[in-house]
Amino acid sequence: MKKFLLSFFTIIVPFLTFAQDFEIVGETVNPSNKINDGVINIAVKGGVEPFTYRWDQQSTPLTSNQAVGLTEGVSYSVVVTDATGASKTGVFTVETEAITEVFNGLMTPAVGALGSILFWDPFAAVGIYDPVVYADVKQIGIPNWTNDLENKYTLKKWLKADGEKVNVNDPIAVITDKSGRDLTVKSSAKGELHHQTAEGKVIYNSENAQHVIEQGAHYFATVKYDEPAVLTHPNGDPLTKPISFIVIWLVFGALFFTIRMGFINIRGFKHAIDLARGKYDDPDAPGQVTHFQALATAVSGTVGLGNIAGVAVAVSLGGAGATFWMIVCGLLGMSMKFVECTLGVKYRDILPDGRVFGGPMNYLRYGFEKRNMKGFGKVLAGMFAVLAVGASFGGGNMFQANQSFEQMAGQFPVLAGHGFYFGIATAILVGVVIIGGINSIAKVTGRVVPIMASIYIVAALAVIIMNIQNIGPAFSAIVEGAFSPSALKGGVVGVLVVGFQRAAFSNEAGVGSAAIAHSTAKTNHPPSEGFVALLETFIDTVVVCTLTALVLIFTGMHEVEGLAGAQLTSDAFGSQISWFPYVLALAVFLFAFSTMISWSYYGMRAWTYLFGKSKKVEFVYKMLFLVFVVIGASVSLGAVLDFSDMMILAMSFPNIIGLYMMSGEVKVDLAGYLKKLKANQLFRKIESK
């Protein structure tokens, strides 16, 4: 026994000593002046192979000793573990070189800090909801299947019985493609095998519309885990579907105001259309623009890249079912838009020269002052104004210029590398419009918005009609995906959150920006503009966002992996209309252009609230805005844009607090307005026979 122990320690002790004694050597590489292209290479001296590398960058696999796509100036850590379980941690930073890299590196922690507030999950924090995504089963599908695969696969023979225990890499079935080639499929998980397709039956046929539309049609078996498995990112971190605080804040507000206003989103819809058509336009009413022009300006500020790129992301993450919850959230958001835009008109200031100053800054300040909370109102109004200015320069300006250039350069290669000149040209176009103020903006949006919306809607309907045979499978996928999605999509809660999040972020109901545009409308009755504002959310989410989602689903592009955003939407249109990506690129530019001119007005009104209402102050803001157009198109700013985009969402905090406080007076005003409407006491245009 002594000899055995002596031999054991002679062998194992040096082994353990060797195993513990290893060193991490890191090499950082900054290959160019572009942001977010840093590289860290790791070499391990000593230790026992194989090693695992757990990076704090979630997209880097556990097996990789190299991390790419890193933000310069930001520290990254990696925990290296050898075969004996010994671990060491290394921290490395890719040095910045260009000024853009410095800004991006400085703003990245700020984005993380603001994101930790906006996307904090209160339900998970108190233990009510577990955001971690679990899988009870592993789905087994056709090897190397992709959405654009044109083939037919039949299950030839099962190699393992239904209910039999299998291990990873056990051969479980033989499938045959249309050329007669046999493929042996191996299990990718350990557990209990369950057949979903009988021998001799077709698994997937690319010529079958139902197969193309149906989510997961290429799966033919499942392996039930002995215990639910946690789905993970490539670096091993658990995959989560948190219920973000900002989504709760926006959706709960929308639901509250829908009930508080007696479902005004439904019962007020017809009257809203009549107002937008000009049936109640009083030319002598105070204000600067018509109901339709105010609506067009507000719509141009919300309908944009979010409707094209954002929806593609939502459908990619949440599947077809996210569309259902997106529509529900859009319908609820209509009521919140009614409340904020009614208040925007009620508390507006009209100067002797005709300029209108309205929006959340006014009703937060003066509405709270009326309730003997002057100090609190000033704080909320000031917070909103600061956030609105930041959002106008970033999400409402630089982001739009940046993404429209990327989309245009992608379709028209001659533009590549000429972002500065593209920015100059765009700034000139924007400047021509915004120098003239809200009247000029309203006239342009009144023409551009119907044109750009019509182009997009007609194209979307064309794709849907071309695939009209898929209507049954498409709507089945939407309903089934909404109420019985796979664990991979996060379950019902995960899909609901993705759909609600996209709708809330897109239509900006509760953000307060639209109230600035609607406050300029010619009207003697604040609720009338609230009715018009209902249509804005309906157009943005229920119409445009839904059409984008339907195009993706009808063409089967919602099943594409590894591709999202505007490119996915472009590919969906391009799969049916080969030349349409060029039209879509132009539509993206128009969307971005109209968003910029609308947000220039929102930002300017917030700016004048902070620095004074003189025309000189307005001119300074306009010049700054045009400079940021050029910067946005010519420079990659990464985290700077992310931060400013988050500022748009943060605007909802002070705004919705004000809406809650003043919802009672809006309800009283609404009742009075409806009473006058029924009594035919409102100004109404005499229709010519």
Side-chain angles (χ1 to χ4, degrees):
M1 184 67 178
K2 288 182 179 179
K3 287 185 178 180
F4 171 76
L5 289 174
L6 183 62
S7 301
F8 175 79
F9 281 110
T10 302
I11 296 170
I12 201 67
V13 171
F15 175 75
L16 288 173
T17 304
F18 174 71
Q20 299 283 351
D21 186 23
F22 68 86
E23 179 186 357
I24 302 173
V25 179
E27 175 197 19
T28 61
V29 181
N30 187 346
S32 72
N33 289 335
K34 292 181 180 178
I35 61 169
N36 300 331
D37 67 347
V39 179
I40 298 175
N41 296 304
I42 297 296
V44 181
K45 294 183 177 180
V48 180
E49 295 184 359
F51 299 103
T52 59
Y53 307 86
R54 193 180 186 104
W55 297 85
D56 56 1
Q57 186 198 39
Q58 292 182 327
S59 60
T60 304
L62 288 165
T63 56
S64 177
N65 67 334
Q66 181 187 67
V68 298
L70 306 179
T71 301
E72 300 81 2
V74 173
S75 296
Y76 288 90
S77 65
V78 57
V79 178
V80 180
T81 305
D82 75 354
T84 70
S87 297
K88 281 197 175 182
T89 303
V91 180
F92 305 93
T93 304
V94 178
E95 294 299 319
T96 56
E97 293 179 3
I99 188 67
T100 52
E101 293 177 341
V102 174
F103 275 121
N104 188 50
L106 290 173
M107 289 302 297
T108 296
V111 170
L114 185 56
S116 66
I117 298 171
L118 294 176
F119 304 116
W120 170 63
D121 185 346
F123 292 114
V126 297
I128 296 174
Y129 168 68
D130 183 2
V132 175
V133 180
Y134 295 90
D136 295 320
V137 298
K138 175 70 175 180
Q139 294 177 309
I140 309 297
I142 299 164
N144 303 316
W145 180 88
T146 59
N147 173 262
D148 57 356
L149 188 70
E150 293 185 5
N151 211 326
K152 177 181 178 181
Y153 292 89
T154 304
L155 200 144
K156 183 176 181 180
K157 183 181 180 182
W158 284 108
L159 302 178
K160 296 287 185 181
D162 189 34
E164 186 175 347
K165 290 283 187 178
V166 295
N167 293 310
V168 177
N169 289 327
D170 280 356
I172 59 172
V174 177
I175 63 176
T176 306
D177 66 10
K178 65 180 180 182
S179 66
R181 184 170 60 99
D182 287 347
L183 297 171
T184 299
V185 181
K186 297 180 179 179
S187 176
S188 53
K190 179 183 178 181
E192 187 178 285
L193 178 68
H194 291 280
H195 299 174
Q196 290 183 319
T197 305
E199 290 183 354
K201 296 292 184 180
V202 174
I203 302 169
Y204 178 85
N205 184 358
S206 59
E207 296 179 2
N208 185 327
Q210 186 167 349
H211 287 183
V212 174
I213 300 296
E214 182 186 343
Q215 192 165 293
H218 59 291
Y219 296 122
F220 62 88
T222 60
V223 174
K224 185 178 180 181
Y225 297 119
D226 295 331
E227 297 209 355
V230 176
L231 297 179
T232 63
H233 292 280
N235 76 330
D237 287 351
L239 186 67
T240 59
K241 296 282 185 179
I243 305 175
S244 305
F245 173 65
I246 186 63
V247 175
I248 299 169
W249 183 247
L250 291 168
V251 173
F252 181 80
L255 182 61
F256 173 84
F257 295 117
T258 297
I259 296 170
R260 184 89 165 103
M261 299 299 144
F263 292 89
I264 194 67
N265 53 340
I266 298 171
R267 64 192 179 102
F269 193 79
K270 182 179 181 300
H271 183 58
I273 293 175
D274 289 339
L275 283 162
R277 290 176 61 191
K279 286 188 176 183
Y280 295 87
D281 281 355
D282 183 352
D284 298 322
Q288 290 181 280
V289 299
T290 66
H291 287 303
F292 176 76
Q293 288 175 327
L295 174 65
T297 301
V299 167
S300 71
T302 55
V303 174
L305 293 167
N307 302 77
I308 298 172
V311 172
V313 172
V315 174
S316 295
L317 293 175
T323 309
F324 178 87
W325 298 114
M326 196 164 57
I327 295 170
V328 171
C329 185
L331 292 172
L332 294 175
M334 293 166 68
S335 303
M336 189 151 58
K337 193 82 81 165
F338 170 85
V339 175
E340 62 188 1
C341 292
T342 297
L343 290 170
V345 174
K346 184 173 184 177
Y347 285 91
R348 67 185 176 179
D349 287 332
I350 302 179
L351 300 191
D353 63 3
R355 287 182 296 150
V356 177
F357 293 81
M361 297 82 67
N362 282 45
Y363 60 71
L364 288 172
R365 180 172 179 176
Y366 301 116
F368 276 78
E369 185 177 314
K370 193 164 71 172
R371 290 164 174 76
N372 298 316
M373 291 186 285
K374 184 176 180 180
F376 186 44
K378 276 188 171 182
V379 169
L380 291 179
M383 183 191 305
F384 181 90
V386 170
L387 290 169
V389 169
S392 72
F393 286 142
N397 180 336
M398 290 192 293
F399 177 76
Q400 305 297 326
N402 186 281
Q403 293 301 297
S404 62
F405 172 69
E406 292 294 327
Q407 190 71 15
M408 291 288 282
Q411 297 301 327
F412 304 100
V414 69
L415 293 174
H418 300 293
F420 176 79
Y421 299 106
F422 178 87
I424 291 288
T426 304
I428 291 171
L429 291 173
V430 171
V432 168
V433 178
I434 70 174
I435 295 299
I438 187 61
N439 289 311
S440 176
I441 292 170
K443 285 177 183 177
V444 172
T445 56
R447 291 180 173 86
V448 172
V449 169
I451 292 171
M452 72 180 190
S454 297
I455 291 172
Y456 193 75
I457 290 170
V458 168
L461 290 174
V463 171
I464 291 169
I465 291 170
M466 290 166 70
N467 294 273
I468 197 65
Q469 72 277 7
N470 299 349
I471 190 167
F475 281 97
S476 292
I478 290 171
V479 175
E480 289 174 10
F483 296 101
S484 57
S486 69
L488 189 61
K489 299 297 182 183
V492 173
V493 173
V495 173
L496 183 148
V497 169
V498 169
F500 272 19
Q501 180 169 296
R502 182 63 261 150
F505 292 4
S506 176
N507 60 48
E508 294 176 17
V511 167
S513 54
I516 300 173
H518 285 284
S519 68
T520 62
K522 289 184 176 183
T523 181
N524 290 300
H525 310 284
S528 68
E529 198 55 32
F531 277 102
V532 175
L534 290 173
L535 300 175
E536 179 193 334
T537 306
F538 183 83
I539 293 167
D540 177 273
T541 306
V542 181
V543 177
V544 181
C545 283
T546 302
L547 282 174
T548 301
L550 290 177
V551 167
L552 292 166
I553 296 164
F554 269 66
T555 56
M557 297 299 284
H558 65 298
E559 284 286 86
V560 173
E561 296 182 1
L563 188 65
Q567 189 58 50
L568 184 60
T569 305
S570 180
D571 287 356
F573 278 104
S575 68
Q576 304 298 312
I577 309 172
S578 60
W579 46 266
F580 189 75
Y582 297 101
V583 179
L584 184 63
L586 187 60
V588 165
F589 175 75
L590 289 175
F591 281 144
F593 172 72
S594 64
T595 298
M596 282 188 276
I597 61 177
S598 295
W599 268 93
S600 73
Y601 185 73
Y602 301 159
M604 184 178 70
R605 281 293 163 257
W607 181 272
T608 53
Y609 177 83
L610 295 170
F611 301 108
K613 297 178 180 178
S614 72
K615 290 189 176 180
K616 182 183 289 186
V617 169
E618 288 186 354
F619 184 77
V620 170
Y621 173 83
K622 290 173 183 176
M623 291 300 102
L624 281 172
F625 190 87
L626 296 177
V627 169
F628 278 104
V629 173
V630 180
I631 294 172
S634 55
V635 180
S636 296
L637 292 173
V640 177
L641 298 184
D642 292 339
F643 186 80
S644 63
D645 215 27
M646 287 181 178
M647 293 177 84
I648 296 176
L649 298 176
M651 288 161 62
S652 67
F653 290 130
N655 183 53
I656 293 180
I657 290 172
L659 301 186
Y660 282 133
M661 293 293 293
M662 289 176 267
S663 62
E665 68 177 273
V666 174
K667 189 171 184 179
V668 171
D669 292 344
L670 172 60
Y673 179 83
L674 292 175
K675 188 176 180 181
K676 288 181 180 180
L677 178 63
K678 288 179 181 177
N680 202 26
Q681 294 175 348
L682 299 176
F683 176 88
R684 182 164 183 162
K685 280 187 176 181
I686 300 173
E687 297 180 9
S688 57
K689 294 182 180 179

